[in-house]
Amino acid sequence: MAQLVEPAPAAEGAPPPHRRLGRRQRQRLVRGVQYLVFVAVVLTVALAADWGRLADAFFRLDIARGMFPDVVLVALRNTVTYTLLAFAFGLALGMVLALMRLSSVAPYRWVATAYVELFRGLPALLVLFMVGYGIPLTFPEREIPGGVYGSVMIGLGLTAAAYMAETIRAGIQAVARGQMEAARTLGMSYTWAMISIILPQAFRVVIPPLTNEIILLTKDTSLAYVLGVTAGTIELTKFSGDVLNQRVNPTPLVVAGLLYLAITLPLSQLVRRLELRAAKAR
Amino acid sequence: MNAISINGLHKSFGPVEVLRGIDLEVRYGEVVCVIGPSGSGKSTLLRCVNLLEEPSRGSIHVAGVEITDPDCDIDRVRRRIGMVFQQFNLFGHLTVRENLTIAQRRVLRRSRAEANRVAMENLDRVGLAVKADAYPAQLSGGQQQRVAIARSLAMGPELMLFDEPTSALDPELVGEVLAVMRGLVADGMTMMVVTHEMSFAREVADRVVFMDGGVLVESGPPADVLGAPREARTREFLHRVLEPTRVSEEEIEAHHPA
C-alpha cells in the first residue's frame, strides 16, 4: 500500500489512506475550484466598476452617431486603402527579396539578408518618418508619387517586405526539392520551373501567414497620422483621436476599435480556416 | 552510337568521393540494371546522367551529346531523357492530366489538343486514363509512380532513367509499377534502372551492373552476375539481399567492426 501512495510533502501526520480522494474526485474538486475563482473575479469586477461613469465615457451614443458616416466613408476606407497599398508593395518587394535570398549569386543573397535583418530590426514608425520626412528633406525637388498614400505604401511596405520575404522564402523551401528536379528533368528551365511548379505550391503554404501580415499592416496604418494627414487622407485612429479632442470623451476610441475588429476578426477567422484546410490536405 | 557513354566519371560531395572512376556504356534498346548496397553511389551515377548532379571529373555522352561540356544546353538534352524518381515527385497542385501536359506545352510547345492527346495515350498505357482529373494526393503510391512514368513518356524520351522506382512503395503496390516497366522493356525502350528488385533485374535486364564503394565491381548478363557472381563482394551482397534472414550476428560484426 505504502509504495502506491505518492509522497505528499504537506501531508505530515497524513490522514489514513482510506481518506484520500480518488482520481476522479480530485479532478472534480480542482475543476470546481477553478470555476469558483472565475466567478469570484467576474463578480468583483462587476460590483467594483462604476458602470454609470464607464457608460458615460465609452458608450455615448450621440457622440458615436456623430462620427458617422465619415468614420466609415473616409477613415475606414483610407485605413483599408493604406493596408492594401502597403501589402501590395510589401508582397512584390518581399517576393523579389525571397528569390534573391535563394539566388546562386552570392551578392544577391547578401543584399537580401542585410535588407531583411535591417528592416526587421527597425521600428515601423522610424521607417515611416524616414520615408515621410527624411527622403523629402534629402531630395526636395522630387516627390513621392501619390502623396500620403504613396508615402504610407512605401513606409509601411518596406518593413512588411522584410517579414514577407522570410515567409515566402520558407514557403519556397517547404516545397520538396524533388519538385524542382522533376521539372528540370522534363526540360523546363529554372525560371519556368520556379514560376509554374514551385511558386504556386509555395503560395499555398504561405497564404495563412501572409493573411496574418495583412492583419498586422491594418493595425500599423494607424501610424500614418505622423505624416500629417488631411481631411481626405485621414484614417481611423487619427480620425477618432480628433473627435476625442473635440468632444473630450473617449467614445470615438471604442468606435474605431470596433471598426478595426470588423476588419481583423474576419481575417483571423479566415486564417484559421485556411490553416485547417492546409492541415487536412497534408 | 551508344545511348549513354560514361568515361572516367568521378563525383565528390565535399571531401567524400562517391564515384571513383566509372566507365559504362549503354546501347540503344538495352536495359541495364544497377544494383549495389546503399551508399555505393548508384543513385548518384544515375543522377549524373542527366546532370542533376554535376560530375567532378570525367565525361558523359547521352545520345551523342557531351552533357559534361559546359556549353551544352542541358534543358534540350533532358527532353530526350525520361527520369522516374523514388519519391514520384508529381506536381501536387496540378491534376494528373496537367502533370502530363505542362512540360509538353511549355517545353515542346505542343498545342493544348496535341498535348492532351499524348497525355491520354500515355495514361492509357499505364492503365490510369480514368484518373486524368484526379490530383496526385488522391492516388495510391503505385498509381502515382505509374503517372510519373507516363509523365516522362509523354515527352517522347529516347531513354529512361529509373531511380529506385519501387523503393518507396508498400510491397503490394510494387507489382503494378514493375508491370508497367516490363511493358516498356517489351516496347524496346532504352532503360537504366537503379533497383533492389533482384527478380525484376534477372527477368528483364540485358545487363546487370554491381556497384560498391563508388566503383563498378562486376557487370554482365543477369544469369552471370546474379546467378554466378565472380566477385566476393557481389556474392556477399546478393547473399544479404536474397536471404536476409540467413545473415548471422557474426557476419554483421565481421563486416561492421565496432
Side-chain angles (χ1 to χ4, degrees), chain A residues 34 87 102 140 149 173 181 202 246 282:
Chain A
Q34 291 181 34
F87 182 74
L102 297 169
Y149 289 109
Q173 286 178 328
E181 290 186 347
Q246 282 164 24
R282 211 153 291 164

Side-chain angles (χ1 to χ4, degrees), chain B residues 34-46 164 194-196 211:
Chain B
V34 184
I35 62 171
S38 63
S40 59
K42 49 195 194 311
S43 280
T44 307
L45 171 64
L46 195 76
E164 303 196 21
V194 170
T195 187
H196 291 295
M211 276 183 79

Side-chain angles (χ1 to χ4, degrees), chain A residues 177-179 181-190 192 196-197 200-201 204 281, chain B residues 47 50 52 75 78-79 81 83 85 89-93 102-103 106-107 151 155:
Chain A
R177 203 173 59 127
Q179 294 286 309
E181 290 186 347
R184 296 304 307 275
T185 54
L186 290 169
M188 287 190 211
S189 66
Y190 177 86
W192 260 128
S196 63
I197 304 297
Q201 298 188 72
R204 285 193 177 182
Chain B
R47 291 163 59 84
N50 64 4
L52 281 183
D75 287 342
R78 277 179 179 150
R79 294 174 203 174
I81 313 173
M83 173 112 182
F85 299 86
N89 293 342
L90 292 181
F91 305 135
H93 62 306
I102 187 166
R106 293 246 161 96
V107 178
R151 178 175 68 180
M155 302 296 285

Side-chain angles (χ1 to χ4, degrees), chain B residues 24-205:
Chain B
L24 180 69
E25 318 263 299
V26 177
R27 292 188 304 278
Y28 275 111
E30 198 177 18
V31 177
V32 173
C33 285
V34 184
I35 62 171
S38 63
S40 59
K42 49 195 194 311
S43 280
T44 307
L45 171 64
L46 195 76
R47 291 163 59 84
C48 280
V49 174
N50 64 4
L51 234 54
L52 281 183
E53 304 292 352
E54 192 95 30
S56 311
R57 203 140 46 85
S59 75
I60 301 173
H61 290 75
V62 176
V65 181
E66 184 185 352
I67 61 166
T68 36
D69 177 353
D71 292 330
C72 153
D73 179 358
I74 188 62
D75 287 342
R76 183 169 280 280
V77 183
R78 277 179 179 150
R79 294 174 203 174
R80 303 158 70 180
I81 313 173
M83 173 112 182
V84 176
F85 299 86
Q86 184 178 348
Q87 297 297 339
F88 329 135
N89 293 342
L90 292 181
F91 305 135
H93 62 306
L94 301 177
T95 64
V96 165
R97 187 202 311 272
E98 290 163 341
N99 263 277
L100 268 72
T101 53
I102 187 166
Q104 291 189 64
R105 307 253 299 135
R106 293 246 161 96
V107 178
L108 301 180
R109 305 258 159 231
R110 286 181 184 155
S111 70
R112 183 185 301 274
E114 167 80 351
N116 267 327
R117 191 182 59 73
V118 175
M120 291 316 291
E121 231 172 68
N122 283 291
L123 281 178
D124 209 32
R125 195 167 170 183
V126 301
L128 285 171
V130 290
K131 298 287 188 187
D133 295 314
Y135 281 89
Q138 299 167 316
L139 304 181
S140 74
Q143 291 172 329
Q144 289 192 50
Q145 192 61 297
R146 282 150 67 196
V147 170
I149 294 173
R151 178 175 68 180
S152 283
L153 290 175
M155 302 296 285
E158 290 167 39
L159 63 143
M160 294 272 289
L161 308 175
F162 292 84
D163 188 3
E164 303 196 21
T166 58
S167 296
L169 295 176
D170 289 336
E172 77 272 21
L173 303 177
V174 169
E176 60 189 76
V177 172
L178 292 182
V180 167
M181 291 171 66
R182 230 176 261 126
L184 293 181
V185 175
D187 292 345
M189 176 62 78
T190 307
M191 290 163 61
M192 186 166 166
V193 186
V194 170
T195 187
H196 291 295
E197 299 292 334
M198 295 304 152
S199 54
F200 177 77
R202 192 188 309 260
E203 177 196 342
V204 304

Side-chain angles (χ1 to χ4, degrees), chain A residues 54-139:
Chain A
L54 281 176
D56 207 38
F58 290 106
F59 301 103
R60 284 272 299 277
L61 282 180
D62 57 318
I63 294 180
R65 215 173 288 130
M67 294 169 71
F68 287 88
D70 277 2
V71 70
V72 173
L73 291 185
V74 180
L76 182 64
R77 206 193 62 195
N78 278 329
T79 292
V80 172
T81 309
Y82 290 141
T83 306
L84 293 180
L85 284 172
F87 182 74
F89 183 87
L91 184 64
L93 182 58
M95 181 87 159
V96 172
L97 287 166
L99 292 173
M100 282 171 74
R101 280 203 82 160
L102 297 169
S103 165
S104 56
V105 183
Y108 281 178
R109 289 201 303 270
W110 301 336
V111 169
T113 307
Y115 181 96
V116 169
E117 292 303 327
L118 179 68
F119 280 90
R120 280 203 306 191
L122 294 178
L125 187 54
L126 186 82
V127 178
L128 205 56
F129 272 132
M130 195 55 107
V131 171
Y133 298 111
I135 293 177
L137 281 175
T138 320
F139 305 102

Side-chain angles (χ1 to χ4, degrees), chain B residues 178-252:
Chain B
L178 292 182
V180 167
M181 291 171 66
R182 230 176 261 126
L184 293 181
V185 175
D187 292 345
M189 176 62 78
T190 307
M191 290 163 61
M192 186 166 166
V193 186
V194 170
T195 187
H196 291 295
E197 299 292 334
M198 295 304 152
S199 54
F200 177 77
R202 192 188 309 260
E203 177 196 342
V204 304
D206 295 303
R207 196 144 47 98
V208 171
V209 174
F210 174 70
M211 276 183 79
D212 191 16
V215 295
L216 297 190
V217 176
E218 186 166 355
S219 151
D224 295 355
V225 177
L226 299 176
R230 290 188 310 267
E231 301 287 333
R233 275 193 283 179
T234 319
R235 275 198 295 276
E236 186 195 310
F237 170 73
L238 289 173
H239 170 65
R240 282 158 187 278
V241 171
L242 297 177
E243 293 170 282
T245 51
R246 291 272 196 84
V247 177
S248 66
E249 278 181 54
E250 291 79 39
E251 273 180 272
I252 296 170

